[in-house]
Amino acid sequence: MKYLIANWKMNLNREQSLDLAKEYKKKVKGGKEYQIIIAPIALALPEIKKELGRSSIKLSAQNVAAEAVGSFTGEISAAMFKEAGAEYSLVGHSERRHFINETSEMIAKKITRCYEAGLTPILCIGETADEKENNQTEAALVRQLQSALFKVENLVDKELFIAYEPVWAIGTGACLVPAEMAPIYRVVKRTISSMVSDKYYGEKVKLLYGGSVTGERAASFWGLAYLDGLLVGGQSLSVEKVKAILM
Ligand code: PGA
């Protein structure tokens, strides 16, 4: 099973989100080969959940609060997203790390909140252009993985999605060459295996790539046996483009 996660970000209002979800339901085939997971704006989740009915498409939050409940004006908790129909949540997307100054402490708390609420976290990690230039990619990924996961209790029992999204590739048109994915996979696998076990990595962890994925580029990523899926931003706003990615 391969995964396609459609991150709609803050691009569509409620009505537009619902319309696009209807189109996905009609035209994008998931089924046995592909699991489609849509991450719409929070406000659209309940309606989209209702619309999807028995469709195999699943829903993700784009973010959850670092705290479980209480006086946190403007926040929405993981449990509230679960109630609204989400089964997953993105955590630590680079747009949140960089534009909203989300810290590694907050990201670690959000991972825990997801598990408490029964959401599977999709932890986003990735190096900046500077880190890549200075050969700091591996160090950045190890740091981000360890700081996000070290406090999780009984991680060994928990499903975990890791989305490798190099910051320089998100929404820029610059994309990783698929051959560059192998060393990334080895770092992620080694780091998580050393925190839990090889067996855990093999059974519970899914690795995704994200960053300027297009129809033309997707095929070579789908061909990587160790890669479980793609996290798609811009192109996921068009059903035709999603279909091209899934071909
Ligand atoms: P992009 O975004 O596909 O538009 O580069 C990916 C993401 O931010 O998840």
Side-chain angles (χ1 to χ4, degrees):
M1 169 78 79
K2 299 271 186 182
Y3 296 81
L4 183 139
I5 304 186
N7 180 10
W8 294 351
K9 309 190 182 185
M10 201 177 70
N11 288 302
L12 306 174
N13 68 20
R14 237 181 74 217
E15 202 178 316
Q16 292 163 334
S17 301
L18 188 60
D19 286 347
L20 186 56
K22 285 180 186 167
E23 255 198 282
Y24 265 67
K25 186 181 165 188
K26 244 196 274 167
K27 299 186 188 157
V28 180
K29 291 275 167 281
K32 278 200 188 102
E33 277 175 59
Y34 293 103
Q35 174 64 59
I36 313 290
I37 302 171
I38 300 175
I41 53 164
L43 289 172
L45 261 171
E47 277 170 302
I48 292 181
K49 174 72 183 166
K50 210 160 140 200
E51 171 61 35
L52 289 177
R54 287 161 174 238
S55 150
S56 63
I57 297 173
K58 296 187 173 175
L59 291 171
S60 173
Q62 295 180 10
N63 172 50
V64 297
E67 307 300 332
V69 68
S71 303
F72 301 99
T73 303
E75 293 290 271
I76 303 175
S77 74
M80 292 166 188
F81 277 107
K82 175 84 177 180
E83 185 192 19
E87 293 176 61
Y88 299 83
S89 181
L90 300 178
V91 177
H93 189 281
S94 85
E95 286 154 12
R96 299 197 58 84
R97 290 182 195 255
H98 297 285
F99 302 147
I100 307 183
N101 294 328
E102 210 166 82
T103 63
S104 45
E105 288 76 23
M106 288 160 79
I107 290 165
K109 282 185 174 185
K110 288 174 185 212
I111 296 281
T112 295
R113 296 292 93 77
C114 282
Y115 286 132
E116 286 168 358
L119 297 180
T120 300
I122 303 164
L123 171 63
C124 302
I125 59 170
E127 81 285 5
T128 61
D130 264 5
E131 285 166 335
K132 186 176 170 68
E133 242 170 65
N134 294 308
N135 291 321
Q136 292 296 308
T137 297
E138 181 170 334
L141 300 185
V142 170
R143 189 178 65 241
Q144 290 172 18
L145 285 168
Q146 289 181 338
S147 63
L149 300 173
F150 81 108
K151 276 196 182 152
V152 177
E153 280 175 32
N154 303 320
L155 185 58
V156 63
D157 301 327
K158 311 230 172 15
E159 303 282 336
L160 173 66
F161 281 53
I162 303 292
Y164 169 63
E165 298 207 298
V167 179
W168 48 268
I170 298 178
T172 59
C175 186
L176 193 83
V177 184
E180 289 179 285
M181 196 61 215
I184 303 295
Y185 156 67
R186 286 195 291 271
V187 173
V188 173
K189 182 169 189 278
R190 191 179 65 233
T191 307
I192 295 182
S193 297
S194 73
M195 294 177 82
V196 189
S197 66
D198 270 351
K199 183 166 178 280
Y200 170 70
Y201 188 90
E203 289 176 358
K204 301 274 195 194
V205 180
K206 304 276 182 273
L207 179 63
L208 315 172
Y209 169 78
S212 296
V213 171
T214 61
E216 298 87 71
R217 289 167 173 161
S220 45
F221 282 105
W222 292 129
L224 301 174
Y226 55 79
L227 195 69
D228 299 291
L230 295 169
L231 175 44
V232 184
Q235 303 268 310
S236 74
L237 299 171
S238 148
V239 160
E240 295 314 315
K241 288 179 176 161
V242 169
K243 281 168 71 178
I245 288 171
L246 291 174
M247 287 301 189

